[in-house]
Amino acid sequence: MLIIFFLFGLIIGSFLNVVVYRIRTAETIMGRSHCRQCKKTIRWYDNIPVLSFVLLKFKCRDCGEKISWQYPLVELLTGVVFALLANQYFILENPVTWLITGVMIALASALLVIFIYDILYMEIPNLVLWPAIILALIFNLYLDFGQIFSTVWERMSVSGVMASGGAFLFFFSLSYFSKEKWMGMGDAYLVILLGLILGWPKILLGLFLAFAIGAIYGIILIGMKKKDMKSQLPFAPFLIVGTFFALFYYAPIVGWYLGLF
Ligand SMILES: [Zn+2]
């Protein structure tokens, strides 16, 4: 079953690459893909996720222009994320889990687009962020509808709003008081979405991991003399990686951490 979600992820990943590019150039999402260099339409058999890049040796068949590693990497990453989501939420015999998995796939796709977009253009696309926030809000209300929780805090709508409100205030302050030097305002809006997806207290782990991974990455770059202390790094990719880890591995990570004492 997971392999089906992985393959589905490869195909959607290939689509997400196109979405990123077309949001930037304000083209429509529809229509066949074409080479950015020679503008020739890509043949269907050259458009198979991952496989085509290897067979074409990362070059356009028509003009020989190099195709970026971004494409197969995003496809693989999307495949892995979809398989992990299915592993966590999907039960074949239970129709409700189909819906839950579907919404989580849509939200994860939005996160992946924001992830690539911020790396490429140092900007968070509002066109993707705000619809995803609305979807996450509706989804949280749906999850609570008809379910009985022992306390109000376990309700996803309460826990999600708490998580995103707290995270937003924290990032908004960082951005506001540093005049966007430490943190961009876009990141403050992004954590609203991450809070709604993770809820409380998982958001704390997501943010902690984002800062930890970001710091390690920054130290490596400075060590390799690729950046100095003043260089700007896009932070959304770290926030999104942290969110995926908190979503999939919250229990093992917290368990491991508590086991240290
Ligand atoms: Zn070409």
Side-chain angles (χ1 to χ4, degrees), residues 15-29 34 36 70-71 113-114 116-128:
F15 174 70
L16 297 182
N17 276 315
V18 175
V19 170
V20 167
Y21 178 65
R22 295 196 180 178
I23 294 173
R24 189 62 180 182
T25 55
E27 282 177 64
T28 78
I29 302 292
H34 49 74
R36 289 189 202 179
Q70 174 206 333
Y71 293 91
V113 167
I114 295 169
I116 313 157
Y117 202 93
D118 198 35
I119 291 177
L120 292 178
Y121 310 117
M122 297 280 278
E123 196 183 310
I124 292 170
N126 284 324
L127 200 64
V128 176

Side-chain angles (χ1 to χ4, degrees), residues 21-235:
Y21 178 65
R22 295 196 180 178
I23 294 173
R24 189 62 180 182
T25 55
E27 282 177 64
T28 78
I29 302 292
M30 295 304 156
R32 304 272 313 267
S33 334
H34 49 74
C35 169
R36 289 189 202 179
Q37 183 64 27
C38 65
K39 309 288 179 213
K40 286 224 174 78
T41 302
I42 294 166
R43 297 165 184 83
W44 66 265
Y45 52 81
D46 286 343
N47 215 356
I48 301 160
V50 184
L51 195 66
S52 289
F53 297 100
V54 179
L55 292 177
L56 288 168
K57 301 196 181 76
F58 295 88
K59 284 190 188 102
C60 167
R61 189 187 286 277
D62 291 304
C63 67
E65 172 80 2
K66 280 207 93 180
I67 304 169
S68 165
W69 275 94
Q70 174 206 333
Y71 293 91
L73 279 182
V74 168
E75 288 164 1
L76 282 174
L77 184 65
T78 311
V80 169
V81 167
F82 280 23
L84 288 170
L85 284 173
N87 185 43
Q88 179 140 323
Y89 298 105
F90 189 75
I91 302 162
L92 189 62
E93 299 78 24
N94 183 347
V96 175
T97 68
W98 291 50
L99 178 76
I100 293 174
T101 311
V103 174
M104 288 309 292
I105 278 179
L107 291 172
S109 300
L111 291 184
L112 288 165
V113 167
I114 295 169
F115 175 90
I116 313 157
Y117 202 93
D118 198 35
I119 291 177
L120 292 178
Y121 310 117
M122 297 280 278
E123 196 183 310
I124 292 170
N126 284 324
L127 200 64
V128 176
L129 177 64
W130 291 100
I133 287 176
I134 293 166
L135 175 64
L137 266 174
I138 297 170
F139 181 55
N140 284 350
L141 288 172
Y142 164 81
L143 285 180
D144 291 340
F145 186 74
Q147 288 190 31
I148 298 150
F149 288 102
S150 49
T151 70
V152 71
W153 303 112
E154 285 174 18
R155 288 176 187 257
M156 208 38 212
S157 40
V158 176
S159 135
V161 168
M162 249 180 61
S164 60
F168 172 74
L169 281 179
F170 178 61
F171 277 77
F172 181 84
S173 318
L174 276 183
S175 168
Y176 184 80
F177 291 112
S178 72
K179 299 195 172 64
E180 294 210 286
K181 263 197 205 104
W182 300 339
M183 198 61 70
M185 209 47 101
D187 297 311
Y189 297 123
L190 174 62
V191 293
I192 295 178
L193 175 60
L194 305 184
L196 291 173
I197 292 174
L198 289 177
W200 189 272
K202 285 188 186 173
I203 186 70
L204 295 176
L205 178 66
L207 297 183
F208 172 78
L209 290 175
F211 281 109
I213 300 166
I216 293 167
Y217 187 76
I219 289 167
I220 292 172
L221 286 188
I222 291 168
M224 289 164 68
K225 305 226 184 314
K226 291 208 168 167
K227 301 252 172 185
D228 58 43
M229 295 292 282
K230 284 187 206 118
S231 320
Q232 288 265 1
L233 267 184
F235 196 60

